Amino acid sequence: MNRKSSDTPIEKTTLIGKRVRKPDAPDKATGKTRYINDMVLPQMLIGKILHAGRPHAEIVSIDVSAAEKLPGVHCVLTGKDAEGLRFGFVRDNVALKNRVRCEHDEIAAVAAETEEIADRAMALITVEYRDLPGVFTPEDGREKDAPQIHDDFPDNKSLHFEFRHGDLAAAEAASEIIVDNVFRVHHVTHCCMGTSCAIADFDSNGKLTIWSQTQYPYNYKMDLAPALGMHPGDIRVMQPPVGGAFGSKLDVYPYEPIAALLAKKTGRPVKVMFSREEEFRSSPTRQPAVIHMRTGCTRNGTLTFRSADVLLDNGAYTSWGPTIPVVMMRTTTGHYRVPVVHFNAQAIYTNNPYAGSFRGYGNVQTTYATAQQMDMLAEQLDMDPIDFHLKNAQQSGETTPQQAFLRECALDECLRTAAQASDYSAKHRRYTLAREQQGRYKKGIGLASSIHNAGGAKIHKSDGCGTILKVDDYARVTVITGASEIGQGIDAVINLIVAEELGIPLEHVTIVNDDSDIAPWDVGVHASRTTFIAGNGARRAAVKARQQILNAAARMTEIAAQDLDLRGGFVVREDCGTKVIKLEKLLRRMHFQPEPELVMVTDYYEPNSEPEGADHRSDHSAAYSHAVHVAEITVDTHTGEIRVDRITSAQDVGRVINRMGLEGQIEGGIAIGLGYALSEEMQLEKGMLKNPCFRDYKVLTAPEMPELDLHFIESNCAEGPYGAKGASELPTIVIAPAIANAVYNATGIRFFNPPLTPEKVARAIWDRQQTETGPSADR
Amino acid sequence: MYPAPFHYHRADSLQGAISLLSELGDSARALAGGQTLIVWMKLRFDEPQHLVDLGRIPDLSRISQEGDEVRIGALATHAEIAGSAVADLLPIVRDCGSGIADAQVRSRGTIGGALGSADPSCDWPTLLHTLDAELTCTGPEGTRTIPVSELVEDIYTTILKPAELITEIRFRRPPANSGGSYTAFKRCAPAYPTASAGVQLTLEDGDVCSDIRIALGSAGLKTVTSEEAENILRGHALTEASIDKAAEAIVAAAEPVPDQRGSEDFKRAVLRTLVKRAVDIAVRRCHGETIRGHHEYV
């Protein structure tokens, strides 16, 4: 007898770990996505900002009368329109300035019918400046007679962070080998493909709607409100698709309140959008730092102490960037088993562009130092670096000096996997020997590792995420989540998790997360937290819905709920997969019964981590993870060109959720890290950016990406969704020191100041040749 | 980053373009793809009041070979030249054309535009020096032929008269026992080269170099050539020492300008390397090897 296909039992399958495409991918690939930059509202005016174009000055006078008279101009604002509306992490910023503290300071703003009119109006504004001597390095800013940048921040001191654990003097005395170096890491910027943009509109009740690229919509309201003199509750944040963020949208920047101030004054929607040059000049940067690090060990290769004295170039204002030492100190204290740790960081105001947060958040800078010092110590010990790393690698159950509890620690597995896959030890020995031989091209292999929080970071009072999930009469699911999608792939993760729990096709899930009036609280996209926190939230909500559905099915079928499962859009028997009822049919029955029932659940997930306290001793993340990168490179000793031949990455991801999304995150992270290591640099001359364009600021492109060999280590985190940990920042963090260690392996030269541009590498090689053979050496 | 306002005119014939340019005088510029001119205008290095677009003039982009003469219309785009039968025949042409900027620029930018800009960073002038190309130019006073080596008077300045346009590039196809190579050292695809080198050489009786032309781009205010360097190699068997010496001689003639792409001595080191790399590939091509040439992105 032929069995009808509809009677075929449905086997249990899982989506976890499968390759699932992002829901937004087809629209983005075909150009259909309407980014915020594409948006046009009826009656919308164009806002433009007049930047100072000088690093430090007083404004003697400003005349906007000619600009105001230009037909098509609706309003011109200057510093007096934002007086007293201080905002920022330490309230040192205003949207429009009465004094210039950095090149891009916003002096005036225009709202006009068209961009052309706005540009013409800008040219009609006359400003008389009195230039002041500036401060362009944090060292200079500390000098006694240094020009003062903010009246209420004496000695140009911004934030200060300190952490001490153990007796440093005793540990130094007990150390047989100490490495002591100063690393200088540079200014880079995010280079989002979508330039910064905000559209603001007020209704007649005084409520502001702002279309924003923000990656933290709820705290964004809190941070934007003081810049406008508003209550945060009167701000609605809309989040259309964005062309990248990478940390750059984790604060409020002046163009956003400017758009709102212009909208308020004109009563019309106003859009402010940066040109590419403005984007380079006015976006936040990664925090440059001077890191004086010392690390010690005993003759048998046991680490004894690490101290780090960090001087940070704050720039002209304090954004979230200068809080990065909170993360820096965690890397300093938690990267390998270091019993004694002293960390001291001081951020100094300068007249440079100011730093914000950037993928890796401080850990990029410190790992450049820690991972190279591990390499140096191994060399001095004459130990295979892998053995040295393994000897000092933490194990599950250990706690760092800052009280990070490493529940599931897979550092040694990451080390072994990366080393084995790349044949690290044999190549490292071979290239070390080949260094002394003749030859234009030198090969090198380098290893670096780091630790990062992977279960959120409780730097706010809450690190939670709210989720609302509803299932309609057709078994289509809508998930309203606080988690923002900024291209990192959370929509795909939530989609996969919900489809997994409810046994429905992926296409039957819609994610809503673009309106702060609809979606519940979330702390934002940062700290590699979203898959972990919002993923847990989505799973918990989906499990509640699933239970409600199975309970209803049990009542109707008289089969116990635990004997039922949801698969392929059906309620089936758990044991054999036999279909019991079509899910949408069940949902309609639930709805249209005498005691009607809708499937509509909420969840608020708050991880069990501890808040970051004043003494910086807390288990502030619900999980931690490690990554190890091995870089294989070839150096052309004639031109200093570094070709990256291959990157082997082994990272503890807890468990793979969406394999394709994870690959994308790791590959993208590596690309950003490679640019930091090799080519990207904001060239500043007395606070003025000399390369505000992609012609002169080199971001690596697809053809320059090396072969990648990715290994996902699954440590199965007990607290993570299905065992997953956060994954996005580590690949950016470990790549630069892996390259630097490889260049050392190839050439015997250490580079303490990235990026390793051809000229810098060539010059170091020539300099060494000159000292070895005299000035006639062939270049 | 918007250009100053200007009037746009579309020419439909060469004579029409020349008359219009004569009429409009100094405030007009010929638009031949615009991949240099529009950028200059956006940066306000140039604020012409009129643009005369040559793009629709028929028959100015033809690429042909007749006997041993190669002819390239001035409006042929970089992409058209890199994809042409000429590039199949002369790999040096493909080396150059396929590496200019990115696909968008290669599809719009023209060889005539690149020559007319007199920018020493442009790739074609360097290449055309190695092939001893001649340029056909037409203006109000008629048509004349200019050797490519005489076109540029100084950086961004040609000897072309007002309203005179380059219409065609011509050169003799090198003999069968000749090989060439062009290579540029660039930060990334859209950028101009930090430095570039082209070499075309002919070998007889195995390794004796019977003729050679070497040219350097982004190495001074004009394309750099050196008879001294060529004479070191011409008439002799090529050796590592003689190639080094010739590279040294032409790099000595270069005057690279320090800028964000590198300091002067770094650029000299890169030029030295590029010359040797280009000679090596040219020799191997003489010997019949098929080598894919490319620009180096660093």
Side-chain angles (χ1 to χ4, degrees):
Chain A
M1 190 176 76
N2 278 340
R3 206 166 165 175
K4 278 195 292 177
S5 66
S6 63
D7 292 340
T8 316
I10 305 175
E11 271 181 60
K12 193 171 183 66
T13 56
T14 181
L15 287 165
I16 303 302
K18 296 286 187 301
R19 296 171 59 87
V20 166
R21 92 179 169 197
K22 292 165 147 185
D24 56 348
D27 277 358
K28 282 186 173 160
T30 56
K32 207 168 161 35
T33 302
R34 278 187 285 270
Y35 292 93
I36 182 171
N37 310 62
D38 302 317
M39 277 183 61
V40 176
L41 295 180
Q43 299 283 300
M44 188 177 87
L45 300 174
I46 299 298
K48 282 266 175 181
I49 297 167
L50 181 71
H51 301 280
R54 63 223 312 120
H56 199 193
E58 279 169 8
I59 297 171
V60 179
S61 67
I62 180 161
D63 181 357
V64 299
S65 53
E68 280 174 332
K69 283 185 204 126
L70 187 72
V73 170
H74 285 250
C75 87
V76 183
L77 301 179
T78 61
K80 67 177 166 31
D81 297 294
E83 247 159 43
L85 298 175
R86 290 171 73 137
F87 72 99
F89 190 73
V90 296
R91 296 286 189 269
D92 61 359
N93 207 344
V94 285
L96 288 155
K97 277 78 172 173
N98 288 318
R99 175 180 161 180
V100 179
R101 295 186 176 86
C102 69
E103 180 198 10
H104 68 73
D105 263 356
E106 299 75 14
I107 303 306
V110 171
E113 291 287 343
T114 66
E115 191 168 1
E116 290 71 21
I117 296 171
D119 275 334
R120 260 183 282 153
M122 305 282 280
L124 294 173
I125 298 173
T126 51
V127 190
E128 191 190 332
Y129 296 100
R130 183 162 50 237
D131 287 316
L132 299 168
V135 169
F136 305 108
T137 65
E139 290 99 324
D140 288 350
R142 278 203 304 195
E143 293 292 324
K144 260 205 173 74
D145 52 352
Q148 291 297 293
I149 295 170
H150 290 273
D151 298 339
D152 37 2
F153 290 88
D155 304 326
N156 292 322
K157 281 184 176 166
S158 172
L159 303 174
H160 177 249
F161 298 87
E162 193 164 21
F163 179 80
R164 288 168 178 273
H165 180 81
D167 183 339
L168 187 64
E172 288 203 24
S175 302
E176 285 155 306
I177 300 172
I178 294 174
V179 285
D180 182 330
N181 314 97
V182 176
F183 299 84
R184 286 172 181 275
V185 292
H186 58 303
H187 274 103
V188 291
T189 187
H190 307 69
C191 298
C192 300
M193 288 297 105
T195 58
S196 297
C197 183
I199 305 170
D201 190 21
F202 280 87
D203 70 13
S204 305
N205 300 316
K207 183 166 177 173
L208 168 66
T209 301
I210 186 158
W211 286 263
S212 164
Q213 293 160 319
T214 184
Q215 55 192 93
Y216 75 129
Y218 303 95
N219 280 324
Y220 178 80
K221 297 197 218 188
M222 183 182 77
D223 288 347
L224 179 60
L228 301 170
M230 289 180 69
H231 189 278
D234 294 331
I235 300 172
R236 178 183 192 181
V237 184
M238 306 295 288
Q239 296 173 272
V242 303
F246 313 108
S248 65
K249 307 299 188 294
L250 198 63
D251 200 352
V252 166
Y253 290 96
Y255 71 92
E256 297 164 295
I258 285 173
L261 291 170
L262 290 170
K264 191 164 192 180
K265 190 80 177 252
T266 59
R268 302 259 295 259
V270 175
K271 178 180 189 175
V272 173
M273 182 167 87
F274 281 175
S275 69
R276 179 57 62 188
E277 184 182 343
E278 258 183 316
E279 181 76 10
F280 269 109
R281 292 192 193 278
S282 308
S283 301
T285 75
R286 180 176 282 145
Q287 188 93 338
V290 183
I291 301 169
H292 178 195
M293 187 172 280
R294 293 161 59 78
T295 307
C297 71
T298 61
R299 183 52 64 196
N300 73 3
T302 305
L303 289 168
T304 47
F305 79 94
R306 182 180 288 140
S307 76
D309 235 317
V310 182
L311 196 56
L312 296 142
D313 184 345
N314 195 86
Y317 303 95
T318 302
S319 174
W320 281 95
T323 66
I324 62 166
V326 173
V327 179
M328 285 183 146
M329 70 170 81
R330 289 202 171 262
T331 320
T332 308
T333 61
H335 192 191
Y336 293 94
R337 193 184 299 122
V338 190
V340 173
V341 178
H342 279 201
F343 176 90
N344 185 52
Q346 176 69 56
I348 299 287
Y349 281 112
T350 66
N351 295 108
N352 289 327
Y354 62 102
S357 68
F358 195 168
R359 195 172 187 174
Y361 211 85
N363 200 351
V364 176
Q365 294 93 319
T366 23
T367 297
Y368 192 72
T370 54
Q372 285 199 76
Q373 290 208 328
M374 289 296 283
D375 208 53
M376 294 178 204
L377 286 170
E379 186 184 32
Q380 292 203 25
L381 287 160
D382 200 17
M383 230 172 140
D384 182 333
I386 281 290
D387 294 336
F388 178 55
H389 283 254
L390 284 170
K391 188 178 177 88
N392 292 286
Q394 292 114 327
Q395 306 294 327
S396 297
E398 287 188 41
T399 302
T400 73
Q402 276 199 293
Q403 303 302 304
F405 176 53
L406 309 178
R407 289 167 194 82
E408 304 88 2
C409 178
L411 175 55
D412 56 2
E413 197 183 341
C414 291
L415 284 164
R416 285 181 216 280
T417 304
Q420 198 171 14
S422 60
D423 194 17
Y424 171 82
S425 296
K427 284 180 182 165
H428 189 264
R429 273 196 303 278
R430 198 159 72 232
Y431 299 153
T432 305
L433 292 172
R435 208 191 279 162
E436 305 310 322
Q437 292 159 14
Q438 289 291 314
R440 172 173 173 180
Y441 295 99
K442 296 287 182 190
K443 281 190 172 295
I445 189 165
L447 176 143
S449 67
S450 194
I451 180 172
H452 206 70
N453 46 259
K458 203 164 278 185
I459 54 166
H460 299 277
K461 287 169 187 153
S462 156
D463 195 18
C465 175
T467 308
I468 300 167
L469 185 150
K470 72 181 184 79
V471 189
D472 74 8
D473 291 348
Y474 308 105
R476 298 314 202 256
V477 177
T478 302
V479 186
I480 305 166
T481 173
S484 301
E485 174 62 79
I486 53 165
Q488 86 278 32
I490 188 60
D491 285 3
V493 166
I494 289 175
N495 191 340
L496 186 152
I497 288 174
V498 170
E500 170 81 6
E501 291 300 334
L502 298 180
I504 55 171
L506 285 160
E507 306 76 56
H508 290 187
V509 182
T510 301
I511 317 279
V512 175
N513 52 356
D514 59 355
D515 183 345
S516 70
D517 273 6
I518 294 174
W521 159 267
D522 176 76
V523 82
V525 181
H526 77 110
S528 303
R529 69 183 281 282
T530 315
T531 290
F532 191 99
I533 307 284
N536 263 333
R539 186 184 190 190
R540 284 154 47 114
V543 165
K544 284 181 196 171
R546 172 190 166 86
Q547 205 51 57
Q548 187 184 346
I549 292 165
L550 291 181
N551 288 344
R555 284 196 299 276
M556 286 178 200
T557 60
E558 293 181 353
I559 304 170
Q562 67 266 26
D563 294 332
L564 294 171
D565 194 10
L566 298 175
R567 295 176 199 169
F570 283 85
V571 179
V572 300
R573 296 189 76 111
E574 163 73 28
D575 52 357
C576 57
T578 307
K579 290 171 183 166
V580 175
I581 183 170
K582 201 169 187 187
L583 178 59
E584 59 177 300
K585 205 167 169 183
L586 169 71
L587 288 160
R588 287 195 290 267
R589 273 199 206 164
M590 288 164 71
H591 188 180
F592 306 130
Q593 63 183 338
E595 284 176 56
E597 186 181 4
L598 269 184
V599 181
M600 197 165 59
V601 301
T602 66
D603 179 76
Y604 180 63
Y605 173 69
E606 178 73 50
N608 59 2
S609 46
E610 299 166 2
E612 177 83 29
D615 67 349
H616 303 296
R617 274 171 226 274
S618 67
D619 189 20
H620 82 153
S621 181
Y624 304 89
S625 81
H626 290 85
V628 176
H629 280 185
V630 174
E632 293 175 67
I633 56 133
T634 306
V635 181
D636 180 340
T637 56
H638 288 193
T639 61
E641 197 177 330
I642 295 171
R643 196 180 68 221
V644 182
D645 300 313
R646 186 182 155 100
I647 301 291
T648 306
S649 153
Q651 181 170 335
D652 172 14
V653 299
R655 183 147 175 226
V656 182
I657 305 278
N658 177 12
R659 190 168 296 273
M660 186 148 62
L662 181 61
E663 287 165 359
Q665 278 291 70
I666 307 273
E667 288 170 9
I670 288 172
I672 290 182
L674 283 171
Y676 187 67
L678 297 171
S679 65
E680 290 183 45
E681 181 172 29
M682 296 173 73
Q683 296 169 7
L684 289 162
E685 203 177 291
K686 292 198 180 305
M688 306 285 285
L689 185 63
K690 294 292 161 199
N691 56 338
C693 59
F694 283 123
R695 189 188 56 208
D696 297 326
Y697 181 102
K698 183 182 171 180
V699 175
L700 297 186
T701 55
E704 293 151 275
M705 279 297 280
E707 182 189 334
L708 302 178
D709 181 20
L710 308 183
H711 299 263
F712 302 136
I713 309 299
E714 298 194 301
S715 62
N716 281 304
C717 173
E719 177 74 10
Y722 306 93
K725 292 181 176 181
S728 74
E729 288 172 285
L730 271 169
T732 301
I733 291 161
V734 278
I735 195 85
I739 299 275
N741 285 338
V743 173
Y744 181 79
N745 184 226
T747 64
I749 301 174
R750 276 272 162 224
F751 288 87
F752 297 99
N753 48 345
L756 280 61
T757 58
E759 176 154 4
K760 202 181 280 178
V761 174
R763 205 164 280 289
I765 292 169
W766 302 340
D767 288 349
R768 191 187 49 186
Q769 283 167 350
Q770 292 216 342
T771 51
E772 281 171 2
T773 60
S776 63
D778 176 39
R779 285 176 179 177
Chain B
M1 297 283 273
Y2 293 92
F6 58 88
H7 298 281
Y8 172 87
H9 311 268
R10 180 181 290 160
D12 42 22
S13 71
L14 182 59
Q15 279 315 319
I18 292 167
S19 325
L20 195 54
L21 285 164
S22 300
E23 198 182 301
L24 296 168
D26 206 27
S27 67
R29 300 283 177 278
L31 180 67
Q35 299 307 296
T36 300
L37 180 59
I38 300 292
V39 177
W40 285 357
M41 288 167 62
K42 286 171 94 170
L43 293 168
R44 305 287 174 114
F45 290 165
D46 197 1
E47 297 188 14
Q49 288 165 31
H50 301 274
L51 288 189
V52 178
D53 189 352
L54 312 179
R56 304 294 173 95
I57 299 176
D59 300 330
L60 275 190
S61 59
R62 193 174 293 150
I63 303 167
S64 66
Q65 299 168 65
E66 277 166 41
D68 63 353
E69 189 178 53
V70 175
R71 301 165 73 140
I72 301 173
L75 291 182
T77 64
H78 312 318
E80 284 166 351
I81 301 168
S84 69
V86 168
D88 291 338
L89 202 67
L90 300 173
I92 187 173
V93 171
R94 176 154 301 140
D95 293 351
C96 179
S98 65
I100 295 173
D102 48 36
Q104 291 92 322
V105 170
R106 288 197 293 274
S107 301
R108 302 287 301 179
T110 62
I111 189 168
L115 285 162
S117 72
D119 182 337
S121 307
C122 281
D123 296 273
W124 288 123
T126 313
L127 171 88
L128 293 173
H129 272 78
T130 71
L131 296 169
D132 287 322
E134 290 184 328
L135 314 175
T136 306
C137 306
T138 306
E141 293 164 30
T143 297
R144 61 171 172 158
T145 299
I146 302 172
V148 71
S149 57
E150 287 172 22
L151 174 71
V152 177
E153 201 173 349
D154 198 355
I155 187 164
Y156 308 139
T157 314
T158 67
I159 61 161
L160 293 176
K161 295 182 177 143
E164 191 178 22
L165 298 169
I166 302 167
T167 56
E168 191 173 65
I169 294 94
R170 288 180 292 130
F171 55 85
R172 300 232 159 263
R173 182 182 151 186
N177 53 341
S178 183
S181 165
Y182 180 83
T183 179
F185 190 87
K186 313 169 69 166
R187 288 170 63 81
C188 53
Y192 282 112
T194 303
S196 69
V199 168
Q200 183 74 37
L201 58 83
T202 307
L203 292 184
E204 271 167 19
D205 308 327
D207 273 339
V208 176
C209 172
S210 60
D211 199 8
I212 183 161
R213 297 291 278 140
I214 313 174
L216 306 180
S218 305
L221 301 183
K222 295 162 68 170
T223 303
V224 172
T225 55
S226 160
E227 269 185 52
E228 186 197 337
E230 290 167 1
N231 287 338
I232 291 169
L233 301 175
R234 192 177 290 121
H236 304 284
L238 297 176
T239 64
E240 206 179 317
S242 68
I243 295 167
D244 278 355
K245 207 172 152 198
E248 211 54 59
I250 190 163
V251 170
E255 290 177 295
V257 181
D259 59 17
Q260 280 158 2
R261 286 171 245 160
S263 62
E264 186 186 331
D265 55 348
F266 175 67
K267 287 187 176 183
R268 286 187 191 280
V270 170
L271 284 166
R272 218 174 270 129
T273 306
L274 292 179
V275 170
K276 292 184 211 172
R277 191 179 292 168
V279 170
D280 176 58
I281 293 175
V283 168
R284 287 159 65 195
R285 282 177 174 163
C286 281
H287 289 145
E289 255 186 81
T290 304
I291 303 162
R292 209 177 146 260
H294 56 85
H295 294 192
E296 299 270 322
Y297 300 120
V298 291

